[in-house]
Amino acid sequence: TVGCAVVDTEGNTAAATSTGGLMNKMSGRIGDSPLIGAGTYACNLCAVSCTGEGEAIIRATLARDVAALMEYKGLGLQEAVDYVINERLDEGKAGLIAVSNAGEVAYGFNTVGMFRGSATQNGFMEVAIWE
Amino acid sequence: MGAWAITIHGGAGVDPNLPMERQEQAKAVLARCLEIGISALRSGAAALDVAEMVVRELETDPIFNSGRGSALTALGTVEMEASIMDGRGRRCGAVSGLSTVKNPVSLARLVMDKSPHSYLAFSGAEDFARSQGVETIDNSYFITDENVGMLKLAKEANSIMFDYRVPIDNNTNNTCGAIAGSIVNNTIDNTTTIQMNGLPISIYAPE
């Protein structure tokens, strides 16, 4: 699975996710990546793209939960990401990346590593795999 | 005028013993795709266009599980899926079950922009792709030798792996290998309980 979350200089956000799914999956199986609110979500506050165990991400409506925590509980981006990764996955394993309309980036995962990269206008740039 | 920002991923759940050169290879692809997004944002591109452009690049490179290099179904074929969402107005598009569309994320964008729906799947999505003239290619383009080998491993272990980079773990004390990404048919008291991702299938019952 691959994904991208972006906020532009107008403060507009967008997210996209694409995947081949699970190795040895049943034909016809649909995972979280195409499901809006589960693997992908964007609104005026943030944009999110998820990866990992699709069935766990779907049950947790993981991407939408990040936005909902910001919208209804006023959590900051990284706070919302940490909460959903630590509290919403039950025993599931997943990771996600996110941006806020304020130009912040955040990520979280409870798997062994996640391939990821981030950059912000003030010069921050990171490409990493492990914690 | 606000500040731009971009973040990308290539999948979660990595083989803890992934060779260093593979790690560097993956990082190089991530850095290249990130640079494409950064230069587009610097020249004022819209977030939606940048998200599509970067995911297209990630789909085209075979190193990650999407587009070319996708994981394989039990039948040894590729069924790809993607979605895209515009925070402005919360518009969205999604596709599933694609087997010939070179860049699934761009078809998802067309579903959002050019169809009355937000989600098209399997033959309907393939028909829509042809009506929109997007680039299609034979299914074999998406299948890599590495993934054919991984599928064979998964079948031998009778498992469905959420991230096929993590090899099946023999010693159970190394949970990341044992849990992350493998489903093994356990037999307990002579009854088989099917597991997915190392957990009893029952927790996925709703699924």
Side-chain angles (χ1 to χ4, degrees), chain B residues 4 6 32-42 50 53-54:
Chain B
W4 58 257
I6 180 171
R32 176 167 61 80
C33 295
L34 205 53
E35 281 299 342
I36 289 171
I38 291 168
S39 51
L41 285 163
R42 281 187 178 137
V50 174
M53 172 195 313
V54 170

Side-chain angles (χ1 to χ4, degrees), chain A residues 1-36 40-44 49-53 55-56 58-59 64 91-95 97-99 101-106 109 111-121 125-130, chain B residues 1-16 18 23 26-27 30-31 34-35 38 41 45-48 50-51 54-55 58-59 64-66 70-75 79-88 90 92 94-96 104-105 119 122 147 150-151 154-155 159-162 164-165 176 179 196-197 199 203-204 207:
Chain A
T1 305
V2 299
C4 178
V6 189
V7 58
D8 59 31
T9 50
E10 306 284 325
N12 294 317
T13 69
T17 312
S18 181
T19 188
L22 297 170
M23 188 61 82
N24 198 22
K25 67 183 179 182
M26 292 170 68
S27 179
R29 180 252 183 200
I30 286 173
D32 65 285
S33 299
L35 301 184
I36 296 298
T40 303
Y41 191 75
C43 62
N44 60 324
S49 174
C50 304
T51 174
E53 290 172 15
E55 282 70 10
I58 291 168
R59 293 169 62 237
R64 169 59 193 154
E91 297 92 349
K93 297 284 180 194
I97 55 165
V99 296
N101 62 359
E104 304 160 299
V105 294
F109 56 91
T111 53
V112 175
M114 176 168 76
F115 294 108
R116 63 190 186 276
S118 303
T120 58
Q121 186 163 332
M125 181 165 173
E126 175 200 51
V127 173
I129 298 175
W130 312 110
Chain B
M1 294 287 269
W4 58 257
I6 180 171
T7 180
I8 65 176
H9 70 76
V14 184
D15 169 4
L18 192 66
Q23 293 184 38
K27 284 183 178 178
L30 290 169
L34 205 53
E35 281 299 342
I38 291 168
L41 285 163
L48 184 62
V50 174
V54 170
V55 170
L58 288 163
E59 286 173 338
F64 296 121
N65 172 19
S66 70
S70 283
L72 305 180
T73 68
L75 307 176
E79 290 180 2
M80 302 170 286
E81 50 197 18
S83 62
I84 191 164
M85 186 161 190
D86 185 357
R88 197 176 25 180
R90 282 182 296 166
C92 55
V95 289
S96 279
V105 71
Y119 195 163
F122 296 92
N147 284 344
M150 291 304 293
L151 177 61
K155 282 184 175 301
S159 73
I160 299 169
M161 296 198 284
F162 88 84
Y164 54 98
R165 289 176 202 288
C176 58
I179 289 182
M196 176 176 277
N197 304 326
L199 302 167
I203 76 159
Y204 296 110
E207 172 60 24

Side-chain angles (χ1 to χ4, degrees), chain B residues 108-155:
Chain B
R109 173 83 187 261
L110 286 168
V111 169
M112 178 173 80
D113 290 341
K114 299 282 178 43
S115 94
H117 304 305
S118 55
Y119 195 163
L120 289 175
F122 296 92
S123 58
E126 293 278 346
D127 294 346
F128 179 66
R130 280 164 185 76
S131 74
Q132 294 296 318
V134 302
E135 190 177 358
T136 55
I137 197 162
D138 185 76
N139 200 248
S140 57
Y141 161 82
F142 302 99
I143 298 172
T144 60
D145 295 342
E146 180 187 357
N147 284 344
V148 172
M150 291 304 293
L151 177 61
K152 188 165 169 290
L153 269 181
K155 282 184 175 301

